[in-house]
């Protein structure tokens, strides 16, 4: 929260133009961006495996920022944030908590995707008082079936992308069919809309450590998700190869009162392929 904000300052609602900030806490300098009108409970975005601040789809984040204060951040050791990536999801959640408290917030809403959804679950289990609402997309529960196979799928798709000179997300997030391929290209192009003050790429060691953390999460004893009483929205594609779609259904069964959306003919990035349908749903859910 900047002390230089003034009531007459123009509100930025385009993620491509969101100013970059840093805050230091616990010996780590966290990089973050914020946009949307200040005040009220912020929506904090928890990003996916290998992602930095430049990996959020503006077609998802911008509609939410029209009415809400949005904060996206690099967790420890990722992008422009300092330190080393933790080797467990729970430690990532501890860092996220440190970051949020450093900004002075006692209550937040969470929008999460993939690994970010795992971190969000660990955070809400440990600090339920911090979270008002929870959006979990393209993710699964601790100890979920086949969760520990994420690394194998990821490395295989990175190889496929390298051989075709493509972005790995085109393979990891979308079906390789007549519907998925153009959706993938459109998504990758949207990520390039920010042309200045872009984030640092994730380092190979940081990426590998994240994969180890996911494998550990997948092989650990499940958390008791019945303790999550916050309103929860869960979404995925029907053909998620990274975090199997059945795990979204598993989350839905285990989190009482949660809402579930499964988009047809789509993969891990189903919410990005169907951003025109999903963004208004997320906006309405978070506004309730």
């Amino acid at each position: 929260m900047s002390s230089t904000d003034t009531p007459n300052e123009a509100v930025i609602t385009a993620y491509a133009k969101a100013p970059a900030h840093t805050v230091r806490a616990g010996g780590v300098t966290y990089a973050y961006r914020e946009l949307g009108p200040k005040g009220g409970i912020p929506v904090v975005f928890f990003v996916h495996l290998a992602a930095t601040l430049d990996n959020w789809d503006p077609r998802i984040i911008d509609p939410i920022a029209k009415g809400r204060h949005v904060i996206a951040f690099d967790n420890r050791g990722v992008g422009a944030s300092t330190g080393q990536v933790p080797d467990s999801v729970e430690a990532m959640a501890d860092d996220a908590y440190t970051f949020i408290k450093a900004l002075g917030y006692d209550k937040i809403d969470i929008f999460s995707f993939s690994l970010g959804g795992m971190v969000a679950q660990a955070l809400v289990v440990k600090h339920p008082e911090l979270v008002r609402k929870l959006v979990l997309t393209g993710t699964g529960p601790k100890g979920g079936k086949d969760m520990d196979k994420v690394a194998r799928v990821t490395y295989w798709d990175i190889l496929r992308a390298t051989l075709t000179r493509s972005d790995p997300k085109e393979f990891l997030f979308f079906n390789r069919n007549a519907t998925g391929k153009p959706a993938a290209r459109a998504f990758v192009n949207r990520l390039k809309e920010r042309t200045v003050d872009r984030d640092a790429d994730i380092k190979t060691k940081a990426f590998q450590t994240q994969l180890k953390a996911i494998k550990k999460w997948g092989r650990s004893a499940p958390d008791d998700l019945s303790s999550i009483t916050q309103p929860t929205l869960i979404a995925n594609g029907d053909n998620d190869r990274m975090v199997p779609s059945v795990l979204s259904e598993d989350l839905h069964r285990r989190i009482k009162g949660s809402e579930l959306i499964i988009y047809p003919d789509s993969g891990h990035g189903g919410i990005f392929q169907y951003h025109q349908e999903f963004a208004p749903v997320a906006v309405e859910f978070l506004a309730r």
Side-chain angles (χ1 to χ4, degrees):
M1 291 177 290
S2 171
S3 59
T4 60
D5 291 335
T6 63
N8 297 322
E9 187 176 359
V11 175
I12 295 171
T13 58
Y15 190 58
K17 297 179 180 177
H21 301 287
T22 59
V23 64
R24 188 154 180 84
V28 175
T29 299
Y30 292 93
Y32 68 101
R33 295 176 189 162
E34 58 183 344
L35 64 161
K38 298 286 183 68
I41 295 172
V43 183
V44 182
F45 277 61
F46 287 50
V47 80
H48 62 84
L49 168 71
T52 69
L53 287 167
D54 290 327
N55 287 101
W56 279 116
D57 188 344
R59 299 304 179 274
I60 297 290
I61 210 166
D62 290 3
I64 293 172
K66 282 180 181 173
R68 296 290 300 276
H69 181 195
V70 166
I71 299 168
F73 73 106
D74 282 331
N75 214 331
R76 175 159 57 105
V78 176
S81 289
T82 64
Q84 293 187 326
V85 170
D87 64 359
S88 75
V89 168
E90 290 79 6
M92 294 176 190
D94 290 340
D95 288 335
Y97 182 79
T98 298
F99 165 73
I100 291 158
K101 298 304 285 186
L103 292 185
Y105 295 109
D106 295 318
K107 188 75 71 177
I108 63 169
D109 289 345
I110 292 177
F111 186 106
S112 64
F113 175 60
S114 195
L115 169 60
M118 302 169 206
V119 177
Q121 290 172 62
L123 180 64
V124 75
V125 165
K126 203 166 190 176
H127 300 284
E129 76 291 342
L130 179 67
V131 181
R132 185 187 70 133
K133 287 189 176 181
L134 194 56
V135 180
L136 301 171
T137 67
T139 195
K142 189 175 180 180
K145 187 177 185 298
D146 292 335
M147 180 80 80
D148 58 347
K149 295 177 182 175
V150 169
R152 191 167 67 195
V153 173
T154 301
Y155 282 126
W156 171 240
D157 279 359
I158 288 174
L159 174 62
R160 293 166 73 198
T162 301
L163 293 173
T164 57
R165 297 181 180 176
S166 307
D167 188 308
K169 291 184 286 296
E170 293 188 38
F171 289 84
L172 289 164
F173 289 8
F174 299 88
N175 291 341
R176 301 302 292 165
N177 60 17
T179 305
K181 287 181 180 180
R185 287 191 294 271
F187 168 71
V188 169
N189 285 335
R190 293 197 297 271
L191 299 185
K192 299 173 184 175
E193 289 180 4
R194 185 185 184 96
T195 55
V196 296
D197 197 21
R198 289 181 65 85
D199 203 358
D201 290 337
I202 192 166
K203 293 179 174 61
T204 301
K205 184 181 178 183
F207 167 62
Q208 291 171 337
T209 305
Q210 285 184 335
L211 281 172
K212 288 177 185 173
I214 293 172
K215 184 177 285 189
K216 189 185 293 185
W217 172 265
R219 293 180 176 176
S220 297
D223 283 327
D224 177 13
L225 298 184
S226 68
S227 66
I228 297 179
T229 58
Q230 289 85 349
T232 303
L233 174 65
I234 301 163
N236 204 347
D238 66 352
N239 185 39
D240 188 338
R241 296 171 56 253
M242 288 195 74
V243 184
S245 304
V246 293
L247 295 178
S248 292
E249 296 168 8
D250 188 15
L251 283 172
H252 176 49
R253 282 193 299 270
R254 293 167 60 185
I255 300 176
K256 188 176 181 181
S258 61
E259 301 170 40
L260 174 66
I261 304 170
I262 300 292
Y263 289 106
D265 193 20
S266 59
H268 190 57
I271 63 165
F272 309 128
Q273 181 172 322
Y274 283 89
H275 62 86
Q276 289 179 310
E277 291 83 0
F278 177 69
V281 171
V283 167
E284 188 275 329
F285 171 79
L286 290 166
R288 286 180 209 160

